Amino acid sequence: MTSTSRHSLDAVVIGVDYGTLSGRAVVVRVSDGQELGSAVHDYPHAVLDSTLPSGEPLPPEWALQVPADYIAVLQVAVPQALRSSGVDPSDVIGIGTDFTACTMVATLADGTPLCEVPEFSTSPHAFVKLWRHHAAQPQADRINVLARERGEMWLARYGGLISSEWEFAKGLQLLEEAPQLYAAMDHFVEAADWIVWQLTGTYVRNACTAGYKGMYQDGAYPDATFLSALNPDFASFVSDKLEHTIGQLGDRAGSLSARAAAWTGLPEGIAWLWETLMLT
């Protein structure tokens, strides 16, 4: 973990672990790996599986979240962990994250989640689709049947089965059940990448989730011919909504922005390292 900050025996790094119901921040000394402090922040909205915050009811098998809850972890848990550690923020030289995949955020071009757009605030499809959102099972079934019929080589790499929890099933469900919202969406983003985007101002896809639950193999996603056979309007899903620069695990994803520094109490410009992922 490198940055332009000084390196000393007192240098520390921070890890932020995003789970299903809460986020945990931990402060670790670089020289010996000693944990110096930690804090947990429960997501205020937890998992939306029966109603939206507006009271709008949800069908069975839905599991959604509110992206502002992820930001709250940075605003609450990171400063608390720093205080509990007794560490001077100037000694923090880098920060890294992990996130449970495949958790998807539909956004505008600037990263604004669609659920924060007033006209979509009561639309279930505008909210984060949590990894355990299973309402896209009909779409996943069609992907699996078509891939077997066409002899798609990538299917075997996933044990012959694409899950309803994964990107393409969730994206296809969004298109077919909320086409207006799908049309308004500029990016369909892994939450692991969205949180880095919010903290650095840079959107880069991480190689781990792109290759696993995003079906990115040998430098390509499933092609437009395959996608069109699922639904003609899905043909450009990759090029229009999904495809983006791929970053490698361990790479520096960017530098902490002034906005994120204000959220966390950390120095602006420290390294934000490419996240590791909890793959469920």
Side-chain angles (χ1 to χ4, degrees), residues 15-19 22-26 43 73 96-100 278:
V16 183
D17 169 31
Y18 283 94
S22 65
R24 177 175 184 259
V26 60
Y43 301 145
V73 172
T97 59
D98 69 35
F99 227 108
T100 306
M278 298 168 60

PDB file of all heavy atoms in Angstrom, residues 15-19 22-26 43 73 96-100 278:
ATOM      1  N   GLY A  15      -8.956  -0.676   6.790  1.00  0.00           N
ATOM      2  CA  GLY A  15      -9.783  -1.542   5.965  1.00  0.00           C
ATOM      3  C   GLY A  15     -11.241  -1.324   6.299  1.00  0.00           C
ATOM      4  O   GLY A  15     -11.597  -1.128   7.466  1.00  0.00           O
ATOM      5  N   VAL A  16     -12.074  -1.329   5.270  1.00  0.00           N
ATOM      6  CA  VAL A  16     -13.515  -1.171   5.468  1.00  0.00           C
ATOM      7  C   VAL A  16     -14.212  -2.375   4.847  1.00  0.00           C
ATOM      8  O   VAL A  16     -14.128  -2.599   3.640  1.00  0.00           O
ATOM      9  CB  VAL A  16     -14.046   0.133   4.837  1.00  0.00           C
ATOM     10  CG1 VAL A  16     -15.531   0.302   5.137  1.00  0.00           C
ATOM     11  CG2 VAL A  16     -13.257   1.336   5.350  1.00  0.00           C
ATOM     12  N   ASP A  17     -14.862  -3.151   5.679  1.00  0.00           N
ATOM     13  CA  ASP A  17     -15.537  -4.383   5.257  1.00  0.00           C
ATOM     14  C   ASP A  17     -17.033  -4.127   5.210  1.00  0.00           C
ATOM     15  O   ASP A  17     -17.658  -3.869   6.241  1.00  0.00           O
ATOM     16  CB  ASP A  17     -15.211  -5.499   6.262  1.00  0.00           C
ATOM     17  CG  ASP A  17     -16.069  -6.732   6.073  1.00  0.00           C
ATOM     18  OD1 ASP A  17     -16.468  -7.017   4.922  1.00  0.00           O
ATOM     19  OD2 ASP A  17     -16.346  -7.429   7.077  1.00  0.00           O
ATOM     20  N   TYR A  18     -17.594  -4.197   3.997  1.00  0.00           N
ATOM     21  CA  TYR A  18     -19.036  -4.015   3.819  1.00  0.00           C
ATOM     22  C   TYR A  18     -19.723  -5.367   3.828  1.00  0.00           C
ATOM     23  O   TYR A  18     -19.529  -6.185   2.925  1.00  0.00           O
ATOM     24  CB  TYR A  18     -19.319  -3.282   2.508  1.00  0.00           C
ATOM     25  CG  TYR A  18     -19.048  -1.803   2.593  1.00  0.00           C
ATOM     26  CD1 TYR A  18     -17.823  -1.273   2.211  1.00  0.00           C
ATOM     27  CD2 TYR A  18     -20.023  -0.929   3.084  1.00  0.00           C
ATOM     28  CE1 TYR A  18     -17.577   0.093   2.303  1.00  0.00           C
ATOM     29  CE2 TYR A  18     -19.785   0.430   3.179  1.00  0.00           C
ATOM     30  CZ  TYR A  18     -18.563   0.933   2.786  1.00  0.00           C
ATOM     31  OH  TYR A  18     -18.320   2.284   2.885  1.00  0.00           O
ATOM     32  N   GLY A  19     -20.525  -5.602   4.846  1.00  0.00           N
ATOM     33  CA  GLY A  19     -21.281  -6.835   4.943  1.00  0.00           C
ATOM     34  C   GLY A  19     -22.722  -6.635   4.534  1.00  0.00           C
ATOM     35  O   GLY A  19     -23.094  -5.620   3.934  1.00  0.00           O
ATOM     36  N   SER A  22     -24.131  -4.473   7.981  1.00  0.00           N
ATOM     37  CA  SER A  22     -23.320  -3.434   8.598  1.00  0.00           C
ATOM     38  C   SER A  22     -21.993  -3.317   7.873  1.00  0.00           C
ATOM     39  O   SER A  22     -21.623  -4.173   7.062  1.00  0.00           O
ATOM     40  CB  SER A  22     -23.071  -3.758  10.081  1.00  0.00           C
ATOM     41  OG  SER A  22     -22.284  -4.935  10.207  1.00  0.00           O
ATOM     42  N   GLY A  23     -21.280  -2.248   8.202  1.00  0.00           N
ATOM     43  CA  GLY A  23     -19.920  -2.067   7.708  1.00  0.00           C
ATOM     44  C   GLY A  23     -18.977  -1.942   8.884  1.00  0.00           C
ATOM     45  O   GLY A  23     -19.305  -1.322   9.904  1.00  0.00           O
ATOM     46  N   ARG A  24     -17.767  -2.531   8.760  1.00  0.00           N
ATOM     47  CA  ARG A  24     -16.791  -2.515   9.846  1.00  0.00           C
ATOM     48  C   ARG A  24     -15.509  -1.867   9.358  1.00  0.00           C
ATOM     49  O   ARG A  24     -15.019  -2.196   8.275  1.00  0.00           O
ATOM     50  CB  ARG A  24     -16.487  -3.940  10.322  1.00  0.00           C
ATOM     51  CG  ARG A  24     -15.427  -4.040  11.409  1.00  0.00           C
ATOM     52  CD  ARG A  24     -15.291  -5.479  11.879  1.00  0.00           C
ATOM     53  NE  ARG A  24     -14.360  -5.608  12.985  1.00  0.00           N
ATOM     54  CZ  ARG A  24     -13.109  -6.033  12.886  1.00  0.00           C
ATOM     55  NH1 ARG A  24     -12.629  -6.372  11.695  1.00  0.00           N
ATOM     56  NH2 ARG A  24     -12.339  -6.130  13.954  1.00  0.00           N
ATOM     57  N   ALA A  25     -14.971  -0.959  10.154  1.00  0.00           N
ATOM     58  CA  ALA A  25     -13.690  -0.331   9.846  1.00  0.00           C
ATOM     59  C   ALA A  25     -12.646  -0.830  10.838  1.00  0.00           C
ATOM     60  O   ALA A  25     -12.932  -0.957  12.037  1.00  0.00           O
ATOM     61  CB  ALA A  25     -13.799   1.183   9.926  1.00  0.00           C
ATOM     62  N   VAL A  26     -11.455  -1.108  10.350  1.00  0.00           N
ATOM     63  CA  VAL A  26     -10.379  -1.593  11.207  1.00  0.00           C
ATOM     64  C   VAL A  26      -9.112  -0.823  10.892  1.00  0.00           C
ATOM     65  O   VAL A  26      -8.818  -0.533   9.720  1.00  0.00           O
ATOM     66  CB  VAL A  26     -10.170  -3.116  11.034  1.00  0.00           C
ATOM     67  CG1 VAL A  26      -9.803  -3.461   9.596  1.00  0.00           C
ATOM     68  CG2 VAL A  26      -9.128  -3.649  11.999  1.00  0.00           C
ATOM     69  N   TYR A  43     -26.301  -0.656   9.077  1.00  0.00           N
ATOM     70  CA  TYR A  43     -27.006   0.098   8.046  1.00  0.00           C
ATOM     71  C   TYR A  43     -28.376   0.531   8.582  1.00  0.00           C
ATOM     72  O   TYR A  43     -29.168  -0.319   9.012  1.00  0.00           O
ATOM     73  CB  TYR A  43     -27.229  -0.752   6.797  1.00  0.00           C
ATOM     74  CG  TYR A  43     -25.969  -1.295   6.151  1.00  0.00           C
ATOM     75  CD1 TYR A  43     -25.978  -2.543   5.548  1.00  0.00           C
ATOM     76  CD2 TYR A  43     -24.785  -0.559   6.125  1.00  0.00           C
ATOM     77  CE1 TYR A  43     -24.843  -3.062   4.933  1.00  0.00           C
ATOM     78  CE2 TYR A  43     -23.653  -1.057   5.519  1.00  0.00           C
ATOM     79  CZ  TYR A  43     -23.682  -2.311   4.931  1.00  0.00           C
ATOM     80  OH  TYR A  43     -22.558  -2.806   4.333  1.00  0.00           O
ATOM     81  N   VAL A  73     -21.270   4.439   6.665  1.00  0.00           N
ATOM     82  CA  VAL A  73     -20.190   3.651   7.275  1.00  0.00           C
ATOM     83  C   VAL A  73     -18.889   4.456   7.284  1.00  0.00           C
ATOM     84  O   VAL A  73     -18.138   4.448   8.262  1.00  0.00           O
ATOM     85  CB  VAL A  73     -20.004   2.323   6.521  1.00  0.00           C
ATOM     86  CG1 VAL A  73     -18.765   1.582   7.016  1.00  0.00           C
ATOM     87  CG2 VAL A  73     -21.243   1.446   6.676  1.00  0.00           C
ATOM     88  N   GLY A  96      -8.342   0.396   2.139  1.00  0.00           N
ATOM     89  CA  GLY A  96      -8.857  -0.601   1.198  1.00  0.00           C
ATOM     90  C   GLY A  96     -10.240  -1.051   1.625  1.00  0.00           C
ATOM     91  O   GLY A  96     -10.640  -0.864   2.778  1.00  0.00           O
ATOM     92  N   THR A  97     -10.987  -1.619   0.693  1.00  0.00           N
ATOM     93  CA  THR A  97     -12.361  -2.035   0.977  1.00  0.00           C
ATOM     94  C   THR A  97     -12.616  -3.443   0.484  1.00  0.00           C
ATOM     95  O   THR A  97     -11.911  -3.951  -0.389  1.00  0.00           O
ATOM     96  CB  THR A  97     -13.374  -1.106   0.280  1.00  0.00           C
ATOM     97  OG1 THR A  97     -13.133  -1.134  -1.128  1.00  0.00           O
ATOM     98  CG2 THR A  97     -13.231   0.329   0.766  1.00  0.00           C
ATOM     99  N   ASP A  98     -13.630  -4.052   1.051  1.00  0.00           N
ATOM    100  CA  ASP A  98     -14.206  -5.238   0.421  1.00  0.00           C
ATOM    101  C   ASP A  98     -15.717  -5.135   0.473  1.00  0.00           C
ATOM    102  O   ASP A  98     -16.285  -4.345   1.227  1.00  0.00           O
ATOM    103  CB  ASP A  98     -13.685  -6.547   1.029  1.00  0.00           C
ATOM    104  CG  ASP A  98     -14.152  -6.807   2.460  1.00  0.00           C
ATOM    105  OD1 ASP A  98     -15.291  -6.456   2.803  1.00  0.00           O
ATOM    106  OD2 ASP A  98     -13.365  -7.387   3.228  1.00  0.00           O
ATOM    107  N   PHE A  99     -16.367  -5.901  -0.377  1.00  0.00           N
ATOM    108  CA  PHE A  99     -17.824  -5.820  -0.513  1.00  0.00           C
ATOM    109  C   PHE A  99     -18.337  -7.187  -0.924  1.00  0.00           C
ATOM    110  O   PHE A  99     -17.673  -7.907  -1.677  1.00  0.00           O
ATOM    111  CB  PHE A  99     -18.194  -4.807  -1.604  1.00  0.00           C
ATOM    112  CG  PHE A  99     -19.270  -3.845  -1.225  1.00  0.00           C
ATOM    113  CD1 PHE A  99     -18.972  -2.527  -0.977  1.00  0.00           C
ATOM    114  CD2 PHE A  99     -20.586  -4.265  -1.119  1.00  0.00           C
ATOM    115  CE1 PHE A  99     -19.947  -1.613  -0.637  1.00  0.00           C
ATOM    116  CE2 PHE A  99     -21.585  -3.369  -0.779  1.00  0.00           C
ATOM    117  CZ  PHE A  99     -21.266  -2.031  -0.530  1.00  0.00           C
ATOM    118  N   THR A 100     -19.518  -7.552  -0.438  1.00  0.00           N
ATOM    119  CA  THR A 100     -20.115  -8.814  -0.839  1.00  0.00           C
ATOM    120  C   THR A 100     -20.674  -8.697  -2.257  1.00  0.00           C
ATOM    121  O   THR A 100     -21.485  -7.825  -2.550  1.00  0.00           O
ATOM    122  CB  THR A 100     -21.239  -9.220   0.130  1.00  0.00           C
ATOM    123  OG1 THR A 100     -20.733  -9.231   1.464  1.00  0.00           O
ATOM    124  CG2 THR A 100     -21.753 -10.609  -0.201  1.00  0.00           C
ATOM    125  N   MET A 278     -15.572 -10.305  -1.050  1.00  0.00           N
ATOM    126  CA  MET A 278     -16.145 -11.474  -0.414  1.00  0.00           C
ATOM    127  C   MET A 278     -17.122 -12.079  -1.421  1.00  0.00           C
ATOM    128  O   MET A 278     -18.175 -11.532  -1.693  1.00  0.00           O
ATOM    129  CB  MET A 278     -16.875 -11.085   0.858  1.00  0.00           C
ATOM    130  CG  MET A 278     -15.981 -10.450   1.924  1.00  0.00           C
ATOM    131  SD  MET A 278     -16.932  -9.720   3.240  1.00  0.00           S
ATOM    132  CE  MET A 278     -17.832 -11.128   3.863  1.00  0.00           C
TER     133      MET A 278
END
